Each structure stands twice: as C-alpha cells, then as structure tokens.
Amino acid sequence: MDRVGTPYAWMLDTREMVLQKRYLPVVGRLLWERLEKHDIDFVAGYTLAAHPLAVAVMYASGHTVDGVLIRRSPKENGLCKLVEGPDIPAGARVALVDDLVNSGDTLKQAVAALRPFGCQVVAAGVLIDYELEGAEWLRAEGIALEALFTLAELGVSARAPQPWEPLWVVENVNGGEYRAPKSIPHVGPERIHVGSDRGFMLCFDRSGNELWRYAVRDKERGVHSSPCVREGRVYFGAYDGYLYCVEDGKLVWETRPGQWIGSSPALWGDRLYVGIEYGQSGGGLLCADASTGKRLWEAPAADYMHASPIVDEQRGQAIVGANDNVLRAVDLQDGSVRWEHETGGALKAWASVDADGTCFAGSFDGHLYAVDAATGDLRWRRKLSQNLYCTPVLTGDLVLACGHSGRLVAMDRATGHVRWVAATHGPTVGGPALIGEEVMTTSVEGWVMRFACADGAPLGGYKAGAKMMGAPGVGAGLACVVDFTGKMHAFSV
C-alpha cells in the first residue's frame, strides 16, 4: 500500500537488485551517463534507497563529483546533521538520485533539505519513473528528470484488481482479536467445518446455514486448530488441551494429551498426528489411534509445537516444525526422528513437500527453507519477510509464500530465484491457497486477493474491513475465510 492506504496492484523491490555487487556499479554507470550532461558538482541521495545510488554515481563519475547523504530527520546526537558529507558551496549544481519517482514526496523533501545551502538542484536521476505526479512536479520546478525506465517500459501497468464480492457472509463464527491465527475452514462437497475461538466446532452447509455446533470443555480458551475431516468424522484440538473426534455434532471420543493444542491434526491410515504443548515442559508430536484417541507414541520437541504436521507418505514420515526452531521428520510408525534441520526462528505453520522430494517451510527468521525431504539437508533458503507464518503452496515449478512484508512471492522450486512478486495489501498470516490456476490470499489489513499463478497479475480483490489471520479454506468450487469480527466470507472459485 502507499502511505495513505491505497493498495498497489504490484510491488517492485529495487533494493534487492541494487545492493548486489554485480549490479550496483552498472546502475551507477547508467545514472552517471544520464546526469553527466548537466555539469553537476554534487550528487545527493535522500534516505535508504538513494544512499547506495549516490555513492555509485560518485565512483562512476571518475571522482569528478562529490556526494552528500540526506537523513529523514537530523541526527539526535553528535553534530545533529540533516545532510551528511562535505559542505555544499552556494551556487553548486546538484543532482538528486533515487530508485523511483512516484508521488515525488522524497524528492521534495530532499530539495527542502538542500535549500539552506543556496545550491541549484538541476536534475534527478532515478531507476524508474512512474509517470505520475512526481514527474509533473519536477517539470514544474525546472528539474530535469533522467529515468532509466518507465513502468510501461518494464511491462508493468497500474492494474487495479477487479471487485470480487462474496456469495454469502455468516456472523458470530469467532469472538474477536487474538494473536494466534484463526481455524482454517475445511470446505467439503456438502459441508463446511471450522473452529471457533468462542469454544465450538461449527458445521455449515454450503449456503452458510448452520447445521450443528459442538462445545469444547473450556469454551474460554477456544478452538484455533483447523479441522481434519474423514468420512463424516471431524478431528481437532482445542486450547483446553483436549483432542476431539466429533461426528454429526456428537462426541465420538476425547483425550487430553497436553495443556494446550493449537496444532491441526493430520491423518494417515488409522493414525492421527498432532502437535502438543506442555506448559514449561515444551511440546511434541503425538500419534494417536484415530478410532479411539489412544496414545501410541510421542516425539518430543524442546519447545511448544504450534505447527501442524504433514504426512510425507512417500518416505513414511511426518514433517513438523516447532518453537525450538527445528524442522524435523519422524517415522510414521514408531516416532523415531529421521532428521532435524535447525533454522533461525520458530516454525509455526505447515510445511509442504513436492514430488521431487523437496520440503519447503517458513521460519520466524523470515526465511523460506527448501530442504531435502529424505535427509533434511539444505538445498536453498530465501529471506522473504520479518517473520514467516506461512504454509508454502506448490504449483507447476513454483513455490509461493507470503509473510509480514505484504508480498506474495513466487520462486523457482529448484533454485529459489524469484519469478514474480505481488502485493497482498498487508501482512499475511497463514499463507496462500491455490484455486486452479490462481492463488488466493488474505491479509491482516482485511483484504482478500486473487492472483494469476503464471505472473502474479491481480484478478480480484475484496476488502472485508477486518483483520484476517489464517489461510483460505478451498474445496469443490468454494473458498471460505474468517475475520476477527467473527464473520466467515464465502466466495465462488
């Protein structure tokens, strides 16, 4: 989003390219070739994106120009400077540099910071010209704009997503704001099941009519576990520490293996796998008999296990992360640990495994990890966000992930190289969901978005008006998302 809250239909990250050793000298040379004709004495950069560009132009000039770096506000100690570098003589000719010009706000602030020196700002060199009000302002001020590219030349257009309205909305699913993600709806061909932080497992028909609700023992703690459904039976955990099996709104069995359960269960044959939390004693992966709830074994972790396991049937293992920063694979039969891969942060979401044997997992260190599913050896990792509470999705030869940066990133599964980036209009918790050749996201800012998997083009958008923390639930042509005001929104897909 821009600074007034208007959503972008795309996102460009110039810093990732500019701050690579092979590209910065090239960018500096290209900008200098545009600016040299203005006979400048100084090059000036305002704030983070422009600082390396100013230095690069200095060196590309053959040491014929000096440089200054402009802060957003004066330093609070030392010399308390706003403009760092050598003194600028009155009448000196100065060129500004920046990664882009959009509204022109940063360039206006740079000009204001230089005004006390009595110098002349004669040109602005930028990588990308959005051809909007910033460019118009420069022309009005008599400042030459030297841009390497325009958006049109990069093949980017300011496409706004088409309005996308829900088929129906039901209320009172959840009770309000909570730091943990909400339960992801399980959308079946006839019924929709979703956990409620009011302490219920709810069942709706596909028109949004409630069919039944089952209350857990301690309703105050709520249900954030996403339901696992098979042949009419609904398996889920609750923050009262119980693991439940319910059918048609009636209890089949219950067991209390831990103090809390936020993890979502997975089924394999007659076995159920779910993460458990034990107060100060850490957590672990529990394996239980799906028919009775009887405990079969447990693989311990050194901290809480908020994450949900996935069954890697090809290799006979369950893969799950935990708050101890470790992604681990355990044997489906006996719970023995096959391998462990340590990351730099907690792992709280599902991992994903592709047919080539690569496991993808997001960590709270902000990286997406790609590891060998058979050995746990690292294949690649890529920094995407401040932290990553995301289940990656796989489509074609791409892996898609999103996080607190407000970006949906499509990467080559084999290398981690970025193919495209799209703006989700706010931090995303829970991850995207595939709907055929499209991908769907929610955001903490209350946006539901659809993008084309091929190139990230925005295809539809809906502003729910309330926080959303949890991936969409998709099935049989219907997608459901829940928000923090208690509403569940259903869309035709």
Side-chain angles (χ1 to χ4, degrees):
M1 291 190 181
D2 63 19
R3 293 181 182 177
V4 297
T6 304
Y8 292 126
W10 31 260
M11 180 174 289
L12 298 174
D13 185 355
T14 60
R15 296 169 183 84
E16 182 168 337
M17 181 270 293
V18 165
L19 292 175
Q20 294 185 47
K21 58 183 180 292
R22 55 179 173 169
Y23 293 136
L24 183 58
V26 175
V27 172
R29 175 175 55 80
L30 293 174
L31 285 173
W32 172 242
E33 289 174 356
R34 300 294 188 94
L35 295 172
E36 184 178 13
K37 62 188 176 186
H38 296 285
D39 192 25
I40 61 174
D41 304 301
F42 279 79
V43 60
Y46 178 80
T47 72
L48 185 65
H51 288 175
L53 298 178
V55 175
V57 170
M58 284 177 57
Y59 279 88
S61 73
H63 309 287
T64 61
V65 301
D66 291 321
V68 293
L69 304 180
I70 306 172
R71 297 177 179 272
R72 191 174 294 278
S73 58
K75 189 177 179 182
E76 295 182 357
N77 54 18
L79 298 179
C80 302
K81 286 186 174 183
L82 177 63
V83 179
E84 299 283 0
D87 288 336
I88 307 175
R93 296 172 66 83
V94 180
L96 303 175
V97 290
D98 209 343
D99 60 341
L100 55 87
V101 56
N102 181 9
S103 66
D105 287 346
T106 56
L107 294 177
K108 292 175 186 177
Q109 293 176 64
V111 169
L114 295 173
R115 192 169 290 125
F117 294 92
C119 56
Q120 305 175 64
V121 178
V122 297
V126 300
L127 306 187
I128 306 168
D129 176 14
Y130 280 26
E131 299 182 292
L132 295 173
E133 57 265 35
E136 295 175 2
W137 176 80
L138 289 170
R139 284 191 290 269
E141 293 292 312
I143 300 172
L145 175 58
E146 300 289 351
L148 301 187
F149 303 98
T150 65
L151 280 180
E153 289 170 343
L154 294 177
V156 178
S157 61
R159 295 172 291 182
Q162 295 298 312
W164 187 30
E165 295 298 323
L167 292 174
W168 49 261
V169 178
V170 296
E171 299 190 0
N172 300 317
V173 172
N174 287 310
E177 187 160 334
Y178 188 70
R179 289 185 300 170
K182 302 298 183 184
S183 173
I184 300 171
H186 179 277
V187 183
E190 297 180 358
R191 296 184 175 187
I192 302 165
H193 299 89
V194 63
S196 166
D197 62 12
R198 296 173 182 261
F200 298 96
M201 177 56 62
L202 301 171
C203 178
F204 300 88
D205 67 18
R206 289 175 59 89
S207 297
N209 301 305
E210 186 176 320
L211 300 178
W212 55 258
R213 62 175 55 198
Y214 179 82
V216 299
R217 283 177 171 263
D218 185 350
K219 292 193 293 183
E220 292 297 321
R221 299 196 178 210
V223 178
H224 292 264
S225 173
S226 300
C228 179
V229 182
R230 179 197 283 176
E231 297 177 352
R233 289 193 169 183
V234 184
Y235 304 87
F236 63 96
Y239 268 102
D240 60 10
Y242 279 83
L243 185 61
Y244 295 89
C245 175
V246 174
E247 187 171 4
D248 289 327
K250 298 178 180 179
L251 182 67
V252 177
W253 55 257
E254 64 180 10
T255 182
R256 192 170 193 262
Q259 189 166 348
W260 309 291
I261 302 178
S263 173
S264 304
L267 277 166
W268 178 68
D270 60 355
R271 296 187 172 200
L272 190 71
Y273 304 87
V274 68
I276 306 295
E277 304 165 47
Y278 295 110
Q280 300 301 316
S281 303
L285 180 66
L286 173 77
C287 174
D289 187 297
S291 299
T292 64
K294 179 182 177 182
R295 179 186 181 279
L296 299 178
W297 52 256
E298 184 178 332
D303 205 334
Y304 298 156
M305 191 170 282
H306 292 145
S308 304
I310 61 164
V311 172
D312 177 14
E313 190 169 359
Q314 181 179 349
R315 279 159 283 275
Q317 61 189 13
I319 301 176
V320 64
N323 287 12
D324 60 5
N325 302 355
V326 175
L327 181 70
R328 49 180 52 82
V330 301
D331 189 279
L332 287 170
Q333 295 288 354
D334 60 18
S336 59
V337 176
R338 298 273 192 87
W339 54 258
E340 293 183 338
H341 185 92
E342 186 168 355
T343 73
L347 297 107
K348 293 179 177 283
W350 282 280
S352 301
V353 179
D354 68 11
D356 296 328
T358 303
C359 176
F360 303 91
S363 169
F364 263 44
D365 66 3
H367 288 86
L368 180 70
Y369 286 80
V371 303
D372 189 310
T375 64
D377 294 334
L378 182 68
R379 291 184 171 173
W380 56 261
R381 70 172 189 166
R382 187 169 191 92
K383 180 83 171 188
L384 297 181
S385 173
Q386 181 180 359
N387 51 42
L388 215 59
Y389 204 143
C390 167
T391 299
V393 299
L394 309 174
T395 176
D397 61 350
L398 298 177
V399 54
L400 279 58
C402 44
H404 282 64
S405 66
R407 304 186 301 169
L408 173 64
V409 185
M411 293 151 283
D412 185 286
R413 290 211 313 255
T415 64
H417 292 162
V418 174
R419 296 278 193 86
W420 54 258
V421 178
T424 58
H425 308 335
T428 297
V429 176
L434 285 179
I435 44 177
E437 299 299 317
E438 301 174 9
V439 61
M440 181 177 179
T441 63
T442 62
S443 81
V444 174
E445 298 296 332
W447 279 89
V448 182
M449 295 291 299
R450 292 168 58 193
F451 304 95
C453 289
D455 59 5
L459 302 177
Y462 168 69
K463 183 68 183 294
K467 281 185 179 181
M468 293 184 173
M469 289 178 66
V474 179
L478 196 67
C480 295
V481 297
V482 294
D483 67 28
F484 271 31
T485 66
K487 295 178 181 178
M488 181 165 66
H489 312 253
F491 300 85
S492 174
V493 294

